[in-house]
């Protein structure tokens, strides 16, 4: 099922000294941490944070990651990272946009894909667990209301 980004969460951050490389721009690997922070904000919005995920008996490994770097971020820049849930049947697909907080400059775009696996056996679950789908539907109801 696709939501066209109807479910999203934003995080704001400031680029710290330890995030930049020797030429003064954010090292590409640090963007993954920025994405992860936005993804967990989205999961919290769905009331599916780490504790609830662990209680559900499902794990959600990332099986695909794509990123496109558009413009460099530098030390001291304020960034906004948006995570938008765009698929949730059979897999989770989340689109990300990293942009400058003040000017909206597009810094990077990314997409992650996760699959549900049984936390004990490690077996792939071919359908998204019902408890997660229920949380998405509840959140969609809040968005549309």
């Amino acid at each position: 099922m696709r939501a066209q980004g109807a479910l999203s969460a934003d995080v704001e951050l400031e680029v710290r000294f330890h995030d930049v490389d020797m030429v003064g721009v954010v090292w590409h690997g640090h963007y993954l941490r920025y994405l992860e922070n936005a993804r967990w904000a989205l999961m919290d919005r769905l009331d599916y944070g780490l504790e609830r995920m662990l209680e559900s008996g499902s794990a959600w490994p990332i099986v695909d990651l794509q990123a496109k770097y558009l413009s460099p971020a530098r030390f001291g820049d304020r960034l906004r990272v948006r995570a938008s849930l765009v698929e949730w049947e059979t897999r989770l697909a989340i689109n990300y946009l990293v942009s400058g907080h003040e000017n909206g400059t597009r810094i990077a775009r990314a997409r992650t894909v996760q699959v549900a696996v049984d936390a004990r056996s490690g077996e792939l679950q071919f359908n998204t667990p019902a408890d997660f789908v229920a949380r998405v539907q509840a959140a969609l109801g809040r968005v549309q209301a």
Side-chain angles (χ1 to χ4, degrees):
M1 191 168 253
R2 295 183 184 276
Q4 299 302 329
L7 296 176
S8 62
D10 291 356
V11 295
E12 294 181 9
L13 59 97
E14 184 174 343
V15 175
R16 303 291 184 195
F17 177 75
H18 57 79
D19 287 347
V20 297
D21 62 18
M22 59 193 294
V23 294
V25 300
V26 173
W27 176 68
H28 67 277
H30 288 303
Y31 285 96
L32 301 181
R33 186 177 67 242
Y34 301 166
L35 303 180
E36 183 77 358
N37 290 340
R39 186 173 67 84
W40 278 112
L42 176 60
M43 292 301 113
D44 287 342
R45 179 168 181 221
L46 295 172
D47 191 27
Y48 205 76
L50 182 60
E51 255 184 62
R52 182 145 343 248
M53 183 186 73
L54 293 173
E55 290 169 1
S56 78
S58 296
W60 294 87
I62 292 177
V63 295
D64 188 34
L65 165 71
Q66 299 171 6
K68 174 92 174 165
Y69 301 99
L70 306 168
S71 181
R74 300 177 187 286
F75 172 73
D77 285 354
R78 302 250 339 126
L79 304 179
R80 174 177 288 132
V81 185
R82 171 167 285 180
S84 301
L85 181 65
V86 295
E87 283 184 53
W88 61 86
E89 286 184 354
T90 69
R91 65 185 192 165
L92 301 184
I94 300 174
N95 289 343
Y96 305 85
L97 177 62
V98 180
S99 58
H101 176 67
E102 283 87 24
N103 60 16
T105 300
R106 291 177 175 231
I107 305 293
R109 291 188 321 248
R111 178 179 178 94
T112 58
V113 175
Q114 296 170 253
V115 295
V117 298
D118 182 282
R120 288 192 175 160
S121 68
E123 290 183 27
L124 177 65
Q125 297 177 8
F126 290 99
N127 292 309
T128 302
D131 63 329
F132 184 81
V133 172
R135 299 212 179 272
V136 170
Q137 290 172 339
L140 282 173
R142 288 191 301 267
V143 168
Q144 296 169 355

